[in-house]
Amino acid sequence: MSGKKKVITVNLGEGGERTYRIVIEAGLLGRLPRLLGDSHPAGRSVFIITDSNVERLYGRRLLRGFSEANIDATLLSVASGESSKSADTVQALHTHLLKLGIHRDSMILALGGGVVGDVAGFVAATILRGVPYVQVPTTLLAQVDSSVGGKVGINHPLGKNLIGAFHQPAAVFIDPDVLKTLPRAEYRNGLAEVVKIAAALDRKFFRYLQRNARAVAEGNARMLPAIIARSVALKAAIVERDERDRGLRKVLNLGHTVGHALEAATRYATRHGEAVALGMVAESAIAVQLGLLPQRDFENLVRLLRAFKLPVQFPTVKNRSLFLSALAGDKKAEQGGTKYVLLAGIGKVALGVDVPSVFIQQLLAERSFIGRFRH
Ligand code: ADP
Ligand code: ZN
């Protein structure tokens, strides 16, 4: 399975006019200038947007590659971290790009994790009413989740991801080799989304992860292309059927209702992947109590998350009102009760489930709420 190139096509729009390719291949980054050069007219300038860490690790090398391929490329770097998902950063990037003479035939290349993908994608969606962009995700989370689907955006002082757009990339290029430099905690963050996708959509993939849990946890390079490709293909199939997140795409929110509330309540001190892992466990414990999810499936989920060194013991939430108002935030959006996406078996989800508030009270009150469901 290793070494081979995998291509997944996302078919969008009437007659597929916004169809794009996701290419997954070890070592792809070195060949990227040639790959891009093949599919885009000569003379088209490329603006690489990256962050300070990724610039150092891969950005400069990529820039040299473009220069060797005689493609006009410029690199712009933002500070690493969530604080760059801001209107200030977007404004600064707009200014630089306009001064550098960006035009509608230019290409923006987002090189980095989810933060870079979201910001660069939003800049691409908004500058000159939209220029094409390609995603070159460099974290596992961005490779399996955020780089696919066209959701781009930034945070607002009133909340995360409140400002944004749907702007599909022209292509996504994934090089699993770049994960070799990714810090372990960032890698685990991405694994939480892999578990989410497998648990929600693909029992066979979940079993594969169980069987290979140790190797996957260690980031075995031979398995990564297949794992990324499977996750991306599953997500792409959902995006094709519900590009604008009006229904089916909500299956990808598994673990995210409680997860987001936990992130908000800890003022984002909890990493996204950890919050999603804890969210999946909490929501699935509720699903067991509601008679939706067999106990054995719940136990397998917990076991896999633990094998991936993700947290499963719900923490004591100090700021309960913040937690509850974050949960209620969804309520407002939905008009009439928070609707949960709950697991109804491995590979099966139930959408729009009402969860009686007593379960949330229990979750906040008893440390043992989840422990009760484990052997
Ligand atoms: P996410 O992808 O989880 O949304 P970020 O975009 O904030 O998160 O990336 C997480 C961190 O990892 C950032 O500090 C970023 O600079 C760094 N990073 C991204 N890709 C790599 C990589 N391939 N190797 C090492 N560090 C990386
Ligand atoms: Zn997520």
Side-chain angles (χ1 to χ4, degrees):
M1 286 221 252
S2 61
K4 277 206 274 103
K5 176 157 120 176
K6 296 180 203 306
V7 181
I8 292 151
T9 309
V10 190
N11 292 300
L12 292 172
E14 300 285 318
E17 78 274 7
R18 283 177 300 114
T19 289
Y20 62 92
R21 286 185 317 150
I22 303 163
V23 184
I24 301 152
E25 190 182 10
L28 175 150
L29 203 62
R31 295 187 285 282
L32 193 56
R34 204 157 38 77
L35 265 174
L36 266 185
D38 287 347
S39 54
H40 296 288
R44 179 174 213 169
S45 47
V46 177
F47 295 95
I48 303 167
I49 298 179
T50 188
D51 76 17
S52 43
N53 295 330
V54 182
E55 175 189 4
R56 197 167 28 80
L57 288 163
Y58 305 105
R60 291 177 206 154
R61 203 169 81 202
L62 185 60
L63 198 58
R64 271 199 305 279
F66 276 114
S67 149
E68 281 157 20
N70 284 319
I71 296 171
D72 174 36
T74 310
L75 186 142
L76 303 174
S77 179
V78 303
S80 71
E82 188 74 19
S83 63
S84 281
K85 272 181 68 167
S86 69
D88 283 351
T89 307
V90 168
Q91 166 96 328
L93 287 168
H94 281 158
T95 305
H96 279 298
L97 291 166
L98 292 169
K99 284 188 175 165
L100 288 164
I102 190 169
H103 52 86
R104 292 182 80 173
D105 292 330
S106 304
M107 166 72 77
I108 287 179
L109 188 156
L111 175 72
V115 168
V116 166
D118 280 3
V119 175
F122 187 63
V123 166
T126 47
I127 199 158
L128 305 175
R129 293 202 181 81
V131 301
Y133 77 114
V134 297
Q135 290 275 18
V136 186
T138 63
T139 63
L140 182 62
L141 187 126
Q143 293 186 344
V144 298
D145 192 26
S146 58
S147 69
V148 175
K151 280 190 186 175
V152 295
I154 54 173
N155 301 327
H156 185 276
L158 291 176
K160 293 244 288 179
N161 295 319
L162 290 180
I163 309 300
F166 287 95
H167 187 49
Q168 298 290 345
V172 182
F173 295 108
I174 299 177
D175 184 350
D177 279 358
V178 301
L179 301 181
K180 286 178 188 152
T181 54
L182 194 68
R184 298 300 269 185
E186 297 295 344
Y187 178 71
R188 285 199 294 273
N189 226 10
L191 281 184
E193 301 284 3
V194 173
V195 173
K196 173 198 80 176
I197 292 172
L201 297 166
D202 189 342
R203 191 178 184 89
K204 230 177 107 195
F205 183 32
F206 190 90
R207 289 230 182 88
Y208 171 88
L209 294 172
Q210 281 180 306
R211 274 199 315 276
N212 299 287
R214 185 178 292 183
V216 176
E218 286 165 1
N220 184 315
R222 274 192 308 118
M223 280 170 186
L224 282 170
I227 288 168
I228 295 165
R230 190 73 199 129
S231 305
V232 164
L234 287 163
K235 178 161 184 188
I238 298 288
V239 170
E240 278 178 353
R241 290 160 67 191
D242 179 22
E243 183 183 357
R244 298 255 158 176
D245 203 0
R246 298 213 165 98
L248 182 67
R249 197 159 165 173
K250 294 197 194 314
V251 302
L252 301 169
N253 282 349
L254 185 72
H256 281 62
T257 307
V258 168
H260 280 153
L262 189 60
E263 284 182 287
T266 56
R267 301 199 188 277
Y268 297 92
T270 316
R271 278 172 192 281
H272 182 68
E274 291 176 357
V276 169
L278 290 164
M280 278 193 284
V281 175
E283 291 172 10
S284 300
I286 293 170
V288 172
Q289 290 208 329
L290 288 173
L292 264 174
L293 179 69
Q295 168 81 15
R296 260 190 56 196
D297 287 345
F298 174 81
E299 281 160 15
N300 282 329
L301 173 71
V302 171
R303 225 171 272 140
L304 187 59
L305 291 168
R306 294 176 95 188
F308 289 170
K309 308 217 167 30
L310 284 157
V312 295
Q313 181 60 59
F314 208 75
T316 307
V317 175
K318 294 209 183 77
N319 197 332
R320 290 182 186 191
S321 60
L322 204 54
F323 182 89
L324 292 171
S325 65
L327 272 185
D330 287 0
K331 195 190 239 169
K332 255 182 270 155
E334 300 277 349
Q335 311 243 321
T338 304
K339 300 288 185 196
Y340 286 75
V341 180
L342 296 184
L343 215 52
I346 299 297
K348 207 165 141 205
V349 284
L351 289 178
V353 182
D354 286 311
V355 168
S357 62
V358 58
F359 289 111
I360 303 301
Q361 296 302 339
Q362 268 179 36
L363 179 64
L364 293 175
E366 306 170 31
R367 280 212 67 139
S368 59
F369 178 67
I370 285 155
R372 270 200 273 140
F373 294 89
R374 261 195 288 140
H375 286 310

